[in-house]
Amino acid sequence: MSYKDKKVITIGIVSELTGLSERQIRYYEERKLILPDRTKGGTRKFSFLDVERLIDIANKMEDGMQTFEIRKMEKEEKKRTDRKTRDQMIRGQINAAFNIRK
Amino acid sequence: MSYKDKKVITIGIVSELTGLSERQIRYYEERKLILPDRTKGGTRKFSFLDVERLIDIANKMEDGMQTFEIRKMEKEEKKRTDRKTRDQMIRGQINAAFNIRK
DNA sequence: CGTGTAAGGAATTCTGACACG
DNA sequence: CGTGTAAGGAATTCTGACACG
């Protein structure tokens, strides 16, 4: 949707933006912590959101967390976010039905 | 500042995003219509703003405009924008001085 | 488990030039 | 003027493996 989610950044740039080595970035992909796109030739393409995630991952790794724990944590965060979004949509429906302004 | 201005996209991706050939993009740079950054190795890096500019340029070229005309037009637009920004800042100062809410 | 590294190859990008118009 | 293309080389990225721990 927005620029933040467009997968357009190659790994070298991502490495610079995050301070992580290319090796680390590829490993985190292997562990399913990030899911870059690929060009036809096979070159990885990342989004700014991926870059943010990687910085977050880097912090968690520094705190001694392991990749599988980080993966779990991210999934739970997503659940929470989805739940919130759903609630807000329902509230929106209700407000619309009663023609209420917030 | 924002993601829109970060120079992180290589020419192949820009080509896909804009529909322009790499040749065209390099030529527009030569004519100073865009100013990508470079990696240490010399590879060009573009921003999303550059991509937007290129799409705009492509439209103007289709309309038969020449590169030097486009360059001029962009400069004038920038002037107009800067003038507007300046006016708004001055208004901001005045409002602050008189403690006025808009 | 997480990361560095050397290895060999493939994809990507670069420049300068010639061509056409 | 604007753009395509073939040419040769350089920078970038890729994978699978070995190493250490």
Side-chain angles (χ1 to χ4, degrees):
Chain A
M1 315 243 154
S2 107
Y3 290 142
K4 196 170 168 178
D5 307 298
K6 279 257 180 187
K7 307 259 186 179
V8 295
I9 318 176
T10 48
I11 198 165
I13 313 271
V14 173
S15 174
E16 282 190 359
L17 293 175
T18 59
L20 295 167
S21 69
E22 301 186 6
R23 180 66 167 97
Q24 288 175 304
I25 296 167
R26 293 196 188 102
Y27 180 68
Y28 299 152
E29 177 193 16
E30 188 186 318
R31 302 308 309 271
K32 310 285 183 194
L33 297 183
I34 40 171
L35 301 165
D37 276 1
R38 299 272 183 156
T39 64
K40 293 169 190 180
T43 303
R44 269 168 271 251
K45 296 185 293 181
F46 301 83
S47 66
F48 280 114
L49 184 57
D50 290 329
V51 171
E52 288 187 8
R53 267 186 199 131
L54 282 168
I55 292 171
D56 195 55
I57 291 167
N59 289 326
K60 286 175 179 156
M61 292 298 288
E62 270 185 42
D63 295 348
M65 212 173 291
Q66 287 187 294
T67 56
F68 81 93
E69 299 178 284
I70 296 176
R71 196 181 329 126
K72 264 199 179 170
M73 186 173 286
E74 298 207 326
K75 265 189 198 164
E76 306 215 345
E77 269 171 28
K78 189 176 182 310
K79 259 189 211 162
R80 238 175 285 134
T81 308
D82 287 354
R83 205 154 44 217
K84 228 187 223 167
T85 306
R86 192 201 53 191
D87 287 358
Q88 282 172 358
M89 289 183 69
I90 291 173
R91 272 196 208 101
Q93 301 271 2
I94 293 173
N95 288 349
F98 286 89
N99 205 15
I100 295 167
R101 287 202 218 163
K102 55 165 176 327
Chain B
M1 314 245 157
S2 106
Y3 290 143
K4 196 171 170 179
D5 306 299
K6 278 256 179 187
K7 308 260 185 178
V8 296
I9 316 175
T10 49
I11 197 164
I13 312 272
V14 173
S15 173
E16 282 191 357
L17 293 176
T18 61
L20 295 168
S21 69
E22 301 187 7
R23 180 67 167 98
Q24 288 174 304
I25 297 167
R26 293 196 188 102
Y27 180 68
Y28 299 153
E29 177 192 16
E30 189 186 317
R31 303 308 309 270
K32 310 283 182 195
L33 297 182
I34 40 169
L35 301 165
D37 276 1
R38 299 273 182 154
T39 63
K40 294 169 191 180
T43 302
R44 270 168 271 251
K45 296 184 294 181
F46 301 82
S47 66
F48 280 113
L49 183 57
D50 291 330
V51 171
E52 288 187 8
R53 265 186 200 132
L54 282 167
I55 291 170
D56 195 57
I57 291 167
N59 288 328
K60 286 174 178 157
M61 292 298 289
E62 270 185 42
D63 295 347
M65 212 173 293
Q66 286 186 297
T67 56
F68 80 94
E69 300 179 283
I70 297 175
R71 197 180 330 126
K72 264 199 179 168
M73 186 173 286
E74 298 208 326
K75 265 189 198 164
E76 307 214 343
E77 268 172 26
K78 190 177 180 311
K79 258 189 210 162
R80 238 175 285 134
T81 309
D82 287 354
R83 203 152 48 217
K84 229 187 224 167
T85 307
R86 192 201 54 191
D87 287 358
Q88 281 172 357
M89 289 183 68
I90 290 173
R91 272 196 209 100
Q93 301 271 1
I94 293 172
N95 288 349
F98 286 91
N99 206 15
I100 296 166
R101 286 202 219 166
K102 55 168 179 328

